[in-house]
Structures are given as structure tokens and as C-alpha cells.
């Protein structure tokens, strides 16, 4: 902003052209879709070659429509793929809990339990077992 040049103006024009061309693009929320939450999660194990940190990814659906998603490096290094997936499950669970509270405040009933899908069986069994795991 202090010393704009022609490349900055070209970039601004490009952004405006993109926005103008995608005005009709958006996320469709169907009026006939069910009010059920569903969560999907995945992570890679030590995907960053420099820091060896894993990346968590999740998204949530309300009926047939995606309503929230996130992809972020995990703050700590996971020692196994199961640990990385378990951390991703924990992030998704907190997101789903927050969404459930939000809908509760809006007086929208969301049926429980909320299905969660994960592709790592070890992480799934850890989350189901109530015994302490190191």
C-alpha cells in the first residue's frame, strides 16, 4: 500500500475479474435436505519434509451440503500415523461439538449421535476405547 506499482494494479484487476466471473458460484444449501451433521477427517503422517509435522484435514456436512472445513499442520510432531489421525479426529470432534451448540442456540434440533468417518482403524479403536492411552 505504501509503494504500489503496475504489478499490484494488475493483480487487483485479476482478482476483480475472478470475482465478477464467479458471482453465481457458491455452496448450495438445499431446503429439502435433512438437518443431520456428518464429519469426515483425514491426516497425513509427517507430511512436511522439513518439520515432520502432520497435516489435519476435516470437513462437516449438514445434510448434503458442506458447511465447514479446515486443513492445517498439526502443532506437534506425531510419532505414528494413528496418533496423527487421532489428533485429526479430536479436531473434528471439537468442531462438531461447536456446531451442535450453535444449532442448539438457534433452536435447530440436530439428531445425535453424529457420524464421524475416519480411514485409520487404529485411531478409531483408540477413540472408542475409554482406557487411558499414552
Amino acid at each position: 500500500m505504501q509503494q504500489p506499482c503496475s504489478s499490484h494494479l494488475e493483480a487487483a484487476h485479476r482478482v476483480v475479474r475472478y470475482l465478477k466471473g464467479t458471482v453465481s458460484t457458491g455452496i448450495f444449501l438445499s431446503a429439502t435436505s435433512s438437518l443431520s451433521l456428518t464429519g469426515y477427517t483425514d491426516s497425513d503422517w509427517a507430511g512436511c519434509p522439513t518439520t515432520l509435522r502432520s497435516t489435519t484435514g476435516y470437513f462437516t456436512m449438514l445434510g448434503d451440503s458442506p458447511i465447514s472445513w479446515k486443513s492445517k499442520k498439526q502443532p506437534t510432531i506425531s510419532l505414528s500415523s494413528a496418533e496423527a489421525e487421532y489428533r485429526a479426529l479430536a479436531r473434528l470432534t471439537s468442531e462438531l461439538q461447536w456446531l451442535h451448540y450453535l444449532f442448539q442456540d438457534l433452536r435447530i434440533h440436530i439428531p445425535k449421535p453424529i457420524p464421524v468417518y475416519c480411514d485409520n482403524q487404529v485411531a478409531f479403536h483408540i477413540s472408542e476405547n475409554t482406557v487411558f492411552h499414552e
Side-chain angles (χ1 to χ4, degrees), residues 96-117:
L96 288 170
Q97 187 66 51
W98 181 83
L99 286 168
H100 188 266
Y101 288 147
L102 175 67
F103 286 122
Q104 205 171 30
D105 288 346
L106 297 171
R107 301 191 195 295
I108 299 171
H109 175 72
I110 300 293
K112 278 190 168 183
I114 300 170
V116 172
Y117 296 97

Side-chain angles (χ1 to χ4, degrees), residues 41-63:
T41 183
D42 197 12
S43 75
D44 67 347
W45 178 46
C48 179
T50 354
T51 63
L52 296 179
R53 292 191 303 170
S54 306
T55 303
T56 291
Y58 66 81
F59 76 97
T60 60
M61 302 276 286
L62 180 64

